[in-house]
Amino acid sequence: MTEKEKALIEAKANILKALGHPTRLWMAEQLAGGEKCVCELAENINADFSTVSKHLTVLKQAGVVEVDKRGKQVYYRLKVPCILNFMPCVEAVLQATAQSHIELMDQKRPIGQIDAV
Amino acid sequence: MTEKEKALIEAKANILKALGHPTRLWMAEQLAGGEKCVCELAENINADFSTVSKHLTVLKQAGVVEVDKRGKQVYYRLKVPCILNFMPCVEAVLQATAQSHIELMDQKRPIGQIDAV
DNA sequence: TGCACATTTGGTCGTTTTACCATACGTCAA
DNA sequence: TTGACGTATGGTAAAACGACCAAATGTGCA
């Protein structure tokens, strides 16, 4: 792996990492409906303003959102909206995992007691 | 936000977080080419076997990969291959960020010294 | 049975992350 | 200009993460 490839992987991982926190993912999803000011985001989750601000900074540094200061308020919006197109597949992973769990449960189901499957 | 919605967000964030590490993202990309045993993954990166194993465990727990033990070896494969369809958009984020940087540089460019853009 | 190999697990330690508090900053209105 | 408001930043403590080492587990072969 070249240095360049390595840097690319790190950059991409960083974006995924930025979205890999419940609060930040929630924020990104909120922004899918259009830009929001910090206050709008903050009042919808149970967190300190400074915490919200820091999460938004993480998203901004990752390049996921961009900022627009207008008057006293700061508006954030998705920079590259396709970022949320990913969610259906993420949900598919959850489904698949749930499915595995179900299958696991099936194996344990006392009815039938089938050994060979 | 209901408890259920909260749990869903957390589950999704957990998947993104799992992919949000350079080594794990690299592994996922490797597995896009088909299943690989731990040894194959380990020999391609400069890391301890135990480190590789632990990263794979994280991916497995997130539901991103699944395991198949055959003989002495353990094979991992993507459970939901669409997980990597996301990458073009992630790269678009990088591009957009790079673009911003370029624009930023443009503003600083001494040639012309244009104030109003 | 016992060894060798492939992988996992447990432990430790330094680093990073995160939430909260207090405080600073910038903008608008009076 | 001053105060109030919206947001960002700095500091701190607790928790989570990540890398490495050592040791355990499981599997196939001699």
Side-chain angles (χ1 to χ4, degrees):
Chain A
M1 185 156 52
T2 67
E3 280 304 310
K4 203 167 185 175
E5 287 170 333
K6 198 176 158 193
L8 179 59
I9 283 275
E10 280 173 7
K12 291 193 288 184
N14 198 48
I15 292 169
L16 293 167
K17 187 175 167 188
L19 291 167
H21 184 286
T23 301
R24 292 194 294 264
L25 182 56
W26 176 84
M27 286 170 163
E29 291 187 348
Q30 292 300 302
L31 297 181
E35 67 174 16
K36 298 242 181 316
C37 70
V38 179
C39 53
E40 287 175 285
L41 293 169
E43 76 185 12
N44 279 300
I45 55 174
N46 189 24
D48 202 273
F49 252 78
S50 68
T51 301
V52 170
S53 180
K54 277 177 184 171
H55 279 307
L56 285 166
T57 300
V58 172
L59 287 174
K60 186 175 62 180
Q61 296 208 98
V64 173
V65 302
E66 56 189 0
V67 181
D68 194 9
K69 301 189 184 188
R70 292 205 296 277
K72 273 194 285 191
Q73 293 175 328
V74 178
Y75 290 86
Y76 282 84
R77 61 171 167 271
L78 289 183
K79 193 165 178 180
V80 182
C82 65
I83 212 77
L84 291 172
N85 295 354
F86 190 37
M87 288 307 119
C89 178
V90 170
E91 280 156 21
V93 172
L94 291 178
Q95 290 257 343
T97 305
Q99 197 60 39
S100 302
H101 288 168
I102 290 164
E103 283 160 14
L104 222 61
M105 297 302 279
D106 279 352
Q107 286 177 18
K108 290 182 181 174
R109 203 151 45 183
I111 307 164
Q113 297 283 11
I114 305 161
D115 287 320
V117 178
Chain B
M1 186 155 50
T2 68
E3 280 305 310
K4 203 167 186 175
E5 286 170 334
K6 197 176 158 194
L8 178 60
I9 283 276
E10 279 172 8
K12 291 192 288 185
N14 198 47
I15 291 169
L16 292 166
K17 188 175 166 187
L19 291 168
H21 185 285
T23 301
R24 292 195 294 263
L25 182 57
W26 176 83
M27 286 171 162
E29 290 186 348
Q30 292 301 301
L31 297 180
E35 66 172 18
K36 298 243 182 314
C37 70
V38 179
C39 53
E40 288 175 284
L41 294 169
E43 76 186 9
N44 279 300
I45 56 174
N46 188 24
D48 202 272
F49 252 77
S50 66
T51 300
V52 171
S53 180
K54 279 177 182 171
H55 280 307
L56 286 166
T57 300
V58 172
L59 288 173
K60 186 174 61 181
Q61 298 209 95
V64 173
V65 302
E66 55 189 0
V67 181
D68 194 9
K69 300 189 184 188
R70 291 204 299 277
K72 273 194 286 192
Q73 293 174 327
V74 178
Y75 290 85
Y76 282 84
R77 61 170 166 272
L78 289 183
K79 192 166 180 181
V80 182
C82 65
I83 212 75
L84 290 173
N85 295 354
F86 191 39
M87 288 307 119
C89 179
V90 170
E91 280 157 20
V93 172
L94 292 178
Q95 290 256 343
T97 305
Q99 196 60 38
S100 302
H101 288 169
I102 290 165
E103 283 162 13
L104 221 62
M105 297 304 277
D106 278 354
Q107 286 176 20
K108 290 183 180 172
R109 202 151 47 184
I111 306 164
Q113 298 282 8
I114 305 163
D115 287 320
V117 178

